[in-house]
Amino acid sequence: MERKIRVLVAKPGLDGHDRGAKVVARALRDAGMEVIYTGLHQTPEMIVETAIQEDAHVIGLSALSGAHFPLFPEVVRLLKERGVDDILVIGGGIIPPEDIPKLKAAGVDEVFGPGTPLNEIVEYIRRNVKR
Amino acid sequence: MYDRKELESIRERERRWNQERVKEWLKKRPERAESFRTLSGIEVKRLYTPLDIEDLDYSEDIGFPGEYPFTRGIHATMYRGRLWTFRQFSGFGTAEETNERFKYLLAHGETGLSVAFDYPTLYGYDTDHPMAKGEFGKCGVAVSSLEDMEILFKDIPVDKITTSMTINGPAAIIWAMYIAAAEKRGIPKEKLGGTIQNDILKEYIAQKSYIFPPEPSMRLIVDTIEYGMKYVPKWNTISISGYHIREAGATAVQELAFTLADGFEYVKAAISRGLDIDKFAPRLSFFFNAHNNFFEEIAKFRAARRLWARGMKELGAKKERSLWMRFHTQTAGCSLTAQQPEINVIRVTLQALAAVLGGTQSLHTNSLDEALALPSEKAVRIALRTQQIIAYESGVTDTVDPLGGSYYVEWLTERMEEEAQRYFDRIEELGGVIPAIEKGFFQREIAESAYRYQQEVERGERVIVGVNRYVMDEEIDIPILRVDEEGERRQIERLRRLKERRDSSKVRESLSRLKRAAEGDENLMPYILDCVKSYATLGETTDVLREVFGVYKEPIIF
Amino acid sequence: MRELAERALRGDRRAIARLISLAESGSESLKEAMEIIHPRAGRAHVIGVTGVMGVGKSTLICEMALKYREMGKSVGIVAVDPTSPFTGGALLGDRVRMNPLASDGEVFIRSMGTRGKLGGLSGAVYDAVEILDASGKDIIIVETVGVGQAEVDVIRIADTTVVVLVPGLGDFIQTIKAGLMEIADIFVVNKSDRPGADSTVNELKSMMEISEKMVPVVCTSATEGEGVDELLVEVENHFQMLKDTGELERRRRRRYETELVEIVMGRLKKMIYDEGRFRESVGELVRRITDGELDPHSAAEEVLAGLLR
């Protein structure tokens, strides 16, 4: 059976800085993954619904506005509410180091800050997809 | 610039130098790389001599400061007369908190204010809008009504200092609030000085904080240009910005070319409204990025001035003042690293120095912690001190354009100009700036550059200290500014009380008059001023325009 | 698997999504599910929308879907984008244009990469359409970029095929080259507010006169939502005509024939590449062909003989 990792790259909130999201999206594609891009200004509800319809293995959230709280944990909460426990949730952006443990405690699987090598993200996804 | 005989002898010397000296030396010590390139990918030669600028004409291409084509600066004495404005972009949380930060900065020697608004405000939403959830006060201050604006500038002498406001989609509304708040304090609008960014084209191209489609957006911008020209003569009604284009991943060449293309587009739009170019051109200002490649940045600034002066002349500008490119510079946020954040101070210093050597009129230096969060008070102070050291200790301000005449800098300046011209031609082929946006041209060019840059970093071809070389395991110990969560609740409460208190029939009337005007083709500024004075909120006013104008949908480009 | 299929029939979105994934990956366990799915499919009207890059297909589909929703019909959308032949990855961005549908529970949107895989692309799209159909969607819209034969094949799934163009000669020629003229049941000239729309319509009409195949031409401006009502009327007329003339049945027979052959071909290819005994013998044959000991045709005979044994 052919296995293809599907990643939903989403920008929650109002912030329009999509450079990072797009660079990561391209890197994942170049690593052979299928990347579904949602565009800007997504609510957590939209992101979760899209992830379900697209049967994504991974949700990658990008926020540079500081709105990772409460938006990232909200995505995790909605997934749980819908009974989804097999989607890997990762995030990136301008995220203060002391927020990372809090995001993880809230159920975000991993957080990648500025300067993360693209390959590290690719490898992390390959090793950690839940199905 | 040199006579033929002299050039011939230099050419001969250079040939010998290459064949003998360099060849020998390379045998002993090969160069560190096969080729050296600027961030724009321009190949840099080993050495520059008069031969590289033999086509340049000193009087026509370089000239004197304060004189056409202004390559060496727009003022005759530059920083010997007056230093640039120290202007730190700031804003967070509620209007009260930001008002305090403004006072702190002014007390520490800042000479102009620069307001950052939060995301809901940038999109014309009030703090109580569902899309505002989680965004309040995070990237700037929330301003939902005239009341917030009054608090934001309380006790600040807006008739004496200038204020720059980074606002685009709802720029006309926010500007109207500033004018109305000042008038309420008895300060007439003729006395107000400052800038609204009001540059929607670069939002479509790069930063994506747009609201309306291009056509009505351009109308609103020309409305503000016209209104400013007539009633707020000291105000810069637009700040044509390359900063965000660069942050989105563009190269220096792309930043230069796209920004100027946008600038000419606004000028053409205002001319086709029937405005006199020499009346509005002096109020146009620019905003550039200062990135890492020192000389390329300096060449970019010099080329920008020359290109603008030449282009404006072609568009029919007669007054010298109309040919000036006045610009604000901010050091490159995207160059800051989350790793070893303290060393960002050094990056910022070099970038700021490039801006000063490039002849900037005002400067923002980034704080060392901005790859992690909003800057703390101490980090902002260090950033401001960086400017003060350059201004008062380094001596680079003692003479005008100290790098003018450098073979390399002059060559690179010319090269930047040529590359920009090439982009102008391509944009023209695509039918102009707006059609090129709709076709995704800029977005594609920028996405390509961003990806290429990232790959160069990954492969180690571009060294970033602390990221791909000299990496350290470290505990990051930077005090982080937190936005008070209570502020959001207080702001929503204030908004609720305002809506109870205000005369709602006045609000309704002013909004419906705005709607009718928007459906026609009058200048909307007086109507918007009426709305904000009746305490219609930002969201309510923007919604009226959304209803008439529709909203922009972007083409998706990777 | 049976349980997953039952859930999909009840409209469970996660089950639908998971089944489509199994179809995409060419899973053999899908057979069990399709036994349940297939008898319940066949009620939906399947509309194919194709055209070269940048003609505004996704926006148009979004507008169509919004109108269908106003009529109370549920909608499934399958948006196909090319997979990179070099990396095997894909960027699927059609959803961005369909944001207004994002929070509607009666709309299901699925993005697919062409993947260029052994089973053939159309196989997975057929299955996806059947799954959405059986789950109760009234209208299913399949979007493809009409550039290659594989994409043109996909569009044969549709009962009604809409070919989208924009004003301008370049697109017209590309559309002809891509073989999209032959498969159109309805032409849409989108972005008709642009200059040159009239001449594009005229060219289309004169093209059709030459080929003696007349189909409706509708002008739309999808970003403004103009012309979409008219398009839906034409789509409905076409569907009615298919039903009245018995053409619907002929088209569906053709659809199932293509699907059947594809499944068989896919399985054969899989056997040749994946099963130990064939992989070895194929490898050996290739070596002999390379060395000039054997020609490819004779080698093929040997492989076929092995398969049929």
Side-chain angles (χ1 to χ4, degrees), chain B residues 372-430:
Chain B
L372 300 165
L374 283 179
S376 67
E377 217 161 69
K378 185 176 177 191
V380 174
R381 196 175 66 232
I382 292 172
L384 181 58
R385 295 285 180 257
T386 306
Q387 295 197 39
Q388 291 161 342
I389 288 172
I390 293 172
Y392 299 108
E393 296 186 13
S394 73
V396 298
T397 51
D398 296 349
T399 185
V400 180
D401 187 31
L403 289 173
S406 147
Y407 308 124
Y408 177 39
V409 170
E410 295 296 357
W411 173 85
L412 194 54
T413 302
E414 199 194 6
R415 186 64 200 277
M416 300 292 281
E417 196 180 352
E418 284 165 12
E419 298 275 334
Q421 191 58 52
R422 209 160 298 159
Y423 268 120
F424 294 161
D425 294 343
R426 282 177 72 186
I427 295 164
E428 192 71 44
E429 277 165 31
L430 291 167

Side-chain angles (χ1 to χ4, degrees), chain B residues 152-311:
Chain B
L152 185 61
F153 287 95
K154 193 162 185 279
D155 302 327
I156 289 172
V158 292
D159 49 346
K160 300 208 173 60
I161 54 126
T162 58
T163 303
S164 166
M165 291 190 281
T166 299
I167 189 83
N168 295 281
I173 305 168
I174 293 289
W175 187 38
M177 287 179 185
Y178 188 84
I179 294 170
E183 282 182 338
K184 277 191 76 175
R185 285 165 57 185
I187 301 166
K189 44 185 179 286
E190 295 75 26
K191 282 200 164 173
L192 297 176
T195 308
I196 40 175
Q197 196 164 76
N198 206 17
D199 170 10
I200 204 67
L201 294 172
K202 66 93 174 56
E203 295 297 334
Y204 302 131
I205 290 174
Q207 190 173 240
K208 316 291 169 72
S209 299
Y210 39 67
I211 303 175
F212 316 114
E215 208 178 306
S217 293
M218 291 298 280
R219 168 191 174 182
L220 274 174
I221 289 166
V222 179
D223 282 356
T224 55
I225 291 175
E226 185 179 21
Y227 189 84
M229 199 175 97
K230 290 182 180 156
Y231 306 108
V232 203
K234 283 161 67 186
W235 199 275
N236 299 318
T237 36
I238 190 164
S239 166
I240 305 147
S241 307
Y243 183 80
H244 321 82
I245 293 175
R246 191 65 180 279
E247 290 289 299
T251 64
V253 165
Q254 289 167 337
E255 178 195 357
L256 173 67
F258 299 171
T259 310
L260 267 76
D262 288 352
F264 293 129
E265 191 70 25
Y266 292 121
V267 171
K268 287 179 203 158
I271 291 175
S272 66
R273 171 79 63 95
L275 305 184
D276 175 358
I277 187 168
D278 282 317
K279 290 246 169 64
F280 67 80
R283 294 330 302 175
L284 306 173
S285 64
F286 285 82
F287 174 20
F288 287 110
N289 193 299
H291 210 291
N292 286 338
N293 194 294
F294 191 69
F295 291 110
E296 184 174 52
E297 293 305 304
I298 295 166
K300 177 185 78 185
F301 298 125
R302 299 174 88 249
R305 267 194 302 273
R306 190 151 81 200
L307 275 163
W308 184 248
R310 286 177 172 164

Side-chain angles (χ1 to χ4, degrees), chain B residues 553-556 558, chain C residues 63 91 96-97 223:
Chain B
K553 290 183 200 145
E554 69 159 351
I556 291 305
F558 287 94
Chain C
E63 290 299 321
L91 280 173
V96 180
R97 294 250 144 262
T223 48

Side-chain angles (χ1 to χ4, degrees), chain A residues 21-123:
Chain A
K22 286 184 172 179
V23 165
V24 169
R26 277 181 69 158
L28 299 179
R29 180 204 51 189
D30 288 351
M33 300 179 195
E34 278 182 353
V35 180
I36 300 112
Y37 182 62
T38 62
L40 301 170
H41 313 154
Q42 303 289 301
T43 63
E45 288 78 8
M46 286 156 92
I47 292 168
V48 167
E49 181 58 39
T50 302
I52 286 174
Q53 291 181 15
E54 297 288 355
D55 198 26
H57 300 84
V58 185
I59 299 177
L61 301 165
S62 162
L64 283 82
S65 68
H68 49 279
F69 271 116
L71 298 176
F72 290 8
E74 181 64 5
V75 168
V76 175
R77 192 189 67 77
L78 288 168
L79 283 172
K80 271 197 200 123
E81 196 180 280
R82 301 279 298 261
V84 180
D85 55 4
D86 56 0
I87 297 181
L88 188 69
V89 179
I90 60 179
I94 303 288
I95 297 176
E98 59 190 70
D99 281 2
I100 295 175
K102 289 185 218 159
L103 287 172
K104 287 188 175 174
V108 176
D109 290 288
E110 192 53 270
V111 177
F112 299 98
T116 306
L118 294 172
N119 207 29
E120 197 177 311
I121 303 174
V122 170
E123 283 310 314

Side-chain angles (χ1 to χ4, degrees), chain B residues 449-464:
Chain B
S449 299
Y451 196 50
R452 197 179 321 122
Y453 178 80
Q454 190 60 36
Q455 286 178 316
E456 286 170 6
V457 172
E458 307 266 311
R459 289 195 296 261
E461 292 164 13
R462 292 251 169 240
V463 174
I464 300 179

